[in-house]
Amino acid sequence: LEGKDTSIGSVPNRPQWNNSEGYEKSTTLVLPSNAAHVWDACIRNTRVPKAKSSDINVHTNLALAEKAGFKSRTFTGLCLLANVMTLLLSISSTSAFSSKFTKLERYGCRFSKPVMAMFDEICLDIQYSLHVHESKLTIFFQVIQETDGAAIKDGYMVLSIPASHL
């Protein structure tokens, strides 16, 4: 992380975008079916054996997911968001113009439906638009799973150009 610790008095408003004409671009994100298990392993201390009672989540336990009314295991929202943001940041960094925006200032989204993790890889359609306003690049996006609809709506990332240290 770059810079000093800071705090804000209130949460700023979400960036506004008139998407009446839809998103400008689209790309595909392919996730392996075991991504939920990998994410689960990454967020805990692997040196401590996992208690049997901790396997009671709809992300890794198919029986519990079905009991909860899902047709399969589901991805955690953070697992999905991390993968989507990584993809969009790598896409935006390939352009000579947008590669200057390397400081992530804010991000947000609305999780609208769970992404179902069946036994095959999961293909997601990432729709996005890049907009520059007041020397900041905002990437607006949504995530669609073909079988279940929009998983993330009203997603955004605000990037800026880092201050020079010279």
Side-chain angles (χ1 to χ4, degrees):
L1 296 175
E2 185 178 304
K4 299 176 184 176
D5 289 344
T6 60
S7 63
I8 56 174
S10 62
V11 177
N13 293 330
R14 296 174 68 88
Q16 296 300 307
W17 175 54
N18 179 3
N19 65 349
S20 60
E21 296 185 24
Y23 291 89
E24 297 167 352
K25 301 178 182 187
S26 178
T27 190
T28 300
L29 174 64
V30 179
L31 296 172
S33 60
N34 68 345
H37 290 280
V38 172
W39 188 266
D40 182 60
C42 290
I43 61 172
R44 61 184 176 84
N45 184 348
T46 55
R47 293 175 290 186
V48 177
K50 190 174 178 180
K52 184 120 178 96
S53 62
S54 70
D55 199 23
I56 56 170
N57 69 64
V58 295
H59 308 302
T60 58
N61 187 312
L62 180 59
L64 184 65
E66 289 173 341
K67 188 175 180 179
F70 297 114
K71 62 183 177 187
S72 70
R73 295 172 294 115
T74 64
F75 277 84
T76 65
L78 288 178
C79 175
L80 176 61
L81 184 60
N83 281 280
V84 169
M85 287 178 63
T86 300
L87 175 66
L88 291 173
L89 289 170
S90 70
I91 289 171
S92 71
S93 70
T94 60
S95 150
F97 164 73
S98 57
S99 65
K100 297 175 181 146
F101 297 94
T102 58
K103 182 178 178 184
L104 178 63
E105 290 193 357
R106 293 181 61 203
Y107 64 91
C109 70
R110 293 193 169 107
F111 296 104
S112 52
K113 287 186 180 177
V115 168
M116 298 297 158
M118 303 298 264
F119 297 101
D120 297 321
E121 60 187 19
I122 296 94
C123 293
L124 301 168
D125 181 32
I126 314 300
Q127 300 171 351
Y128 65 99
S129 292
L130 308 174
H131 293 273
V132 176
H133 181 68
E134 297 178 2
S135 301
K136 295 185 182 189
L137 171 67
T138 303
I139 305 171
F140 294 98
F141 65 92
Q142 69 176 0
V143 178
I144 309 291
Q145 185 175 20
E146 185 178 318
T147 56
D148 296 299
I152 291 179
K153 293 181 179 178
D154 302 325
Y156 68 90
M157 292 185 287
V158 178
L159 295 100
S160 64
I161 300 171
S164 173
H165 295 289
L166 299 177

